[in-house]
Amino acid sequence: MPKRKKSGSNNPLSSARKDVGGLWHRKSGAGYHLFLSYYGNQPIGVVTTEGDSHQSKSAITAPQCDGNKAAMGNSRAAKKRRRKKNGSNSASSADTNVIAATSTTSSSSQEVDASHPLMQAFNSDSNKYAHLTNFIHALSRPLPLTLRIRKHESADSSELTQTLSRNFSNFVSPVAYDPTKQIYQSTPGSNLCKFNLGHQSPELKSIVVDASMNGTLARQELGSMLPVLSLEAVDAIRKGSKVLDMCASPGSKTLQALEIVVSNSDTKTRGRVIANDVHPKRLDSLRDAVHRSGVPAEELTNRVTYTNFDASVFPFPKSKKLFDAIICDVPCSGDGTIRKDPHILPMWSPRTSNELHGLQLKILLRAMELIKKGGVVCYSTCSLNPIEDEAVVSAALREMNADGNSYQLLDWPEDLLPGFTRRPGVDAWNVGFYDANNLEKDDDDFGSLSFYDSYDSAVEAEVEEAKESFWPNSANNKHSLHCCSRLFPQDQDTGGFFVALIKRIK
Ligand SMILES: C[S@@+](CC[C@H](N)C(=O)[O-])C[C@H]1O[C@@H](n2cnc3c(N)ncnc32)[C@H](O)[C@@H]1O
């Protein structure tokens, strides 16, 4: 496993992981097994669909990375790399590490790398978790490259799009569900991902790097694009809007929002983005990203203000003018990003999510106080854990609607990406707790998870970590949680992501 740089002591993610940071947990691969057990014990809708355990096909219209053998890494070079990794010179032993996915959804004709630790954990328990097949197969493959053509007046992207379609259409092509043709993904069969871009096509890599520097292109995952795209689609972000990005670094959503709010030169309707992050160093890299975006200084940098607050206590603006739109992309366990970040899974434990839940809720509550009447907060995480997602949204709505229905969840704007598969939010889930106390330190013991379907049952079992807000709240908003959106990795060959749009109506 590559070494991860030490992060600051006040990093909520590292403190949430502190109990599971033990070398044993990491070395034993406990995280892979706990992840499987956790999601394998969730109801349909959390990471799987009704048809996942059957031989059914979901409505997929997006390009898939469903390559043929050569494309999926059976080239001589790929075989050589695998042989090296497996410490074997035998082609047949390398070949046994590539097995065909058995599911018939989007992953059907794709191959999975059986040497991936997640696949190994899955194969050892596949009878128990057969319904997770599509989900696990998708997660064990590298994430296709996704690019967003940026839109602003000072950067002409037509030359770039022509070059991409003329010379690189075998590597990247626009996704079918984006009518604006601004989202590009690895072309089906190309097997292109961020790790092999330079190797597969040094020319394309240099174009991508140059275009990122001159502001015409952003390397951004599909999930990460959804908050700003959806805020624009519900008309909460438009030219001239005042937007707060509460947890902004490294800045992909700040830049995306800026493109929209500064998109006219009429000084009277000039918009502004407040980019906030609690970590000064991360805020510095965000500042650099805005400067490096290649957009003229007075057009962009004069319209962005950097602030360095804990978002959960972000101050009210002195002008008393609240925000038109708030991007609330909170710190999270990141288990939707495991296709591009190999560090997440070995350390995985439900404790991380359970501990982050409190901070996430506080940040969302603050966002709901800072949004103006008619404005919209977009709450998002790159985790599929309901504790970080629907549980936070449900608890925030309960608290803020205690004196009347001032806030409501908005439906996903269906016109935004026609044909794009999003899954509705869930209103039932199991809350899991990790017990490592009776751990036998042998190879097969990874500690156990206990699941509770209500706060009362967890209290009865004396689970100290249990908080009432972990469970769905039936009082006033449970019925609307289906308005939230879940992005499943197996649907469009992406990472996992969660988005909820909350409008202030009073
Ligand atoms: C998921 S990342 C945000 C990604 C960013 N929105 C983007 O699209 O590039 C979460 C960010 O929250 C920041 N953060 C963590 N705790 C925070 C807090 N209490 N207040 C504000 N920011 C916080 C982290 O430093 C991190 O940069």
Side-chain angles (χ1 to χ4, degrees):
M1 241 0 112
K3 278 190 186 160
R4 182 187 269 289
K5 272 193 207 154
K6 278 198 175 164
S7 45
S9 56
N10 60 345
N11 181 338
L13 185 54
S14 11
S15 12
R17 278 184 183 157
K18 64 184 180 302
D19 292 331
V20 292
L23 200 57
W24 170 82
H25 191 99
R26 192 197 306 243
K27 281 200 160 176
S28 67
Y32 300 101
H33 292 267
L34 295 175
F35 177 85
L36 265 178
S37 161
Y38 189 79
Y39 283 110
N41 282 290
Q42 294 296 346
I44 295 290
V46 172
V47 290
T48 57
T49 63
E50 206 61 63
D52 269 358
S53 51
H54 307 295
Q55 301 284 298
S56 72
K57 173 130 181 71
S58 53
I60 307 286
T61 51
Q64 302 297 318
C65 218
D66 58 352
N68 53 39
K69 271 198 161 205
M72 291 305 290
N74 265 3
S75 65
R76 253 192 315 191
K79 281 183 178 166
K80 196 171 157 192
R81 277 196 301 280
R82 271 199 300 274
R83 277 201 294 277
K84 198 169 163 197
K85 191 170 158 201
N86 296 326
S88 153
N89 272 330
S90 128
S92 60
S93 91
D95 287 344
T96 57
N97 277 326
V98 179
I99 59 168
T102 51
S103 65
T104 55
T105 65
S106 59
S107 1
S108 58
S109 56
Q110 299 184 46
E111 290 161 343
V112 289
D113 181 356
S115 68
H116 191 295
L118 182 60
M119 280 304 298
Q120 290 181 347
F122 177 64
N123 286 338
S124 67
D125 260 336
S126 58
N127 289 345
K128 243 195 305 195
Y129 303 124
H131 61 293
L132 293 187
T133 302
N134 298 336
F135 177 61
I136 298 300
H137 283 182
L139 291 181
S140 61
R141 291 191 296 268
L143 187 68
L145 190 71
T146 315
L147 308 169
R148 186 174 63 79
I149 307 291
R150 298 184 53 208
K151 44 176 182 187
H152 51 80
E153 284 156 8
S154 54
D156 182 6
S157 55
S158 55
E159 198 183 320
L160 172 66
T161 50
Q162 275 169 23
T163 309
L164 291 181
S165 62
R166 209 182 299 126
N167 303 338
F168 298 100
S169 60
N170 52 336
F171 287 116
V172 286
S173 45
V175 297
Y177 48 83
D178 171 29
T180 68
K181 303 274 173 257
Q182 285 182 323
I183 305 173
Y184 281 65
Q185 203 178 31
S186 305
T187 302
S190 70
N191 195 29
L192 192 70
C193 64
K194 81 166 183 184
F195 303 114
N196 65 15
L197 172 61
H199 180 74
Q200 289 234 33
S201 173
E203 301 83 4
L204 178 58
K205 183 174 180 184
S206 109
I207 287 173
V208 167
V209 170
D210 289 352
S212 309
M213 298 300 265
N214 71 23
T216 42
L217 190 80
R219 264 192 264 191
Q220 194 175 0
E221 261 196 71
L222 178 68
S224 160
M225 296 176 202
L226 297 180
V228 173
L229 286 177
S230 58
L231 283 168
E232 186 184 22
V234 298
D235 211 24
I237 296 189
R238 52 177 181 270
K239 56 188 177 189
S241 296
K242 188 175 168 194
V243 179
L244 170 62
D245 190 352
M246 293 188 105
C247 306
S249 299
S252 48
K253 296 171 194 75
T254 302
L255 284 167
Q256 203 183 346
L258 272 167
E259 290 163 28
I260 303 164
V261 303
V262 304
S263 61
N264 75 335
S265 47
D266 176 357
T267 46
K268 283 191 199 132
T269 56
R270 278 197 161 182
R272 178 160 281 278
V273 176
I274 317 297
N276 178 70
D277 203 281
V278 77
H279 294 293
K281 279 199 176 141
R282 287 178 64 86
L283 201 56
D284 286 345
S285 37
L286 163 67
R287 219 180 256 119
D288 289 348
V290 173
H291 281 283
R292 271 190 282 108
S293 69
V295 181
E298 70 281 9
E299 193 199 336
L300 258 191
T301 48
N302 288 345
R303 309 276 197 96
V304 58
T305 306
Y306 305 96
T307 58
N308 179 212
F309 296 105
D310 172 353
S312 65
V313 291
F314 191 92
F316 272 85
K318 284 194 186 119
S319 66
K320 302 240 173 4
K321 281 194 182 160
L322 298 180
F323 296 94
D324 300 300
I326 298 184
I327 303 163
C328 189
D329 188 37
V330 295
C332 70
S333 64
D335 66 12
T337 66
I338 56 190
R339 295 182 72 180
K340 63 169 192 190
D341 187 347
H343 301 92
I344 307 244
L345 271 191
M347 303 286 284
W348 196 93
S349 157
R351 259 186 206 157
T352 311
S353 304
N354 293 351
E355 296 219 346
L356 285 168
H357 169 95
L359 175 64
Q360 293 164 336
L361 177 55
K362 278 193 206 153
I363 295 178
L364 177 56
L365 288 170
R366 192 58 173 169
M368 289 166 78
E369 289 167 345
L370 290 166
I371 195 80
K372 75 175 194 193
K373 194 175 139 190
V376 181
V377 174
C378 180
Y379 176 81
S380 59
T381 71
C382 44
S383 167
L384 288 169
N385 193 332
I387 302 297
E388 303 184 55
D389 297 339
E390 287 90 345
V392 172
V393 171
S394 177
L397 283 172
R398 175 172 49 182
E399 188 160 339
M400 297 301 280
N401 280 342
D403 303 335
N405 286 332
S406 304
Y407 298 86
Q408 71 181 32
L409 276 167
L410 291 183
D411 274 325
W412 177 255
E414 292 295 347
D415 292 348
L416 174 60
L417 298 169
F420 159 79
T421 304
R422 70 157 194 111
R423 304 288 171 184
V426 290
D427 61 14
W429 58 85
N430 294 316
V431 181
F433 297 93
Y434 178 46
D435 181 10
N437 290 338
N438 304 319
L439 201 61
E440 307 262 332
K441 295 264 162 98
D442 66 36
D443 282 351
D444 294 328
D445 190 4
F446 302 110
S448 56
L449 294 179
S450 315
F451 292 95
Y452 298 91
D453 60 6
S454 71
Y455 177 59
D456 290 345
S457 59
V459 171
E460 204 173 306
E462 298 179 4
V463 179
E464 281 175 21
E465 281 178 72
K467 289 189 186 134
E468 199 166 1
S469 57
F470 287 173
W471 282 268
N473 145 246
S474 55
N476 60 1
N477 55 57
K478 187 176 164 185
H479 63 280
S480 64
L481 289 175
H482 67 265
C483 295
C484 304
S485 299
R486 308 189 132 246
L487 183 64
F488 286 180
Q490 66 269 38
D491 279 345
Q492 264 121 176
D493 212 2
T494 61
F497 207 77
F498 174 86
V499 186
L501 293 166
I502 303 171
K503 181 167 185 163
R504 183 172 195 167
I505 45 179
K506 291 196 246 178

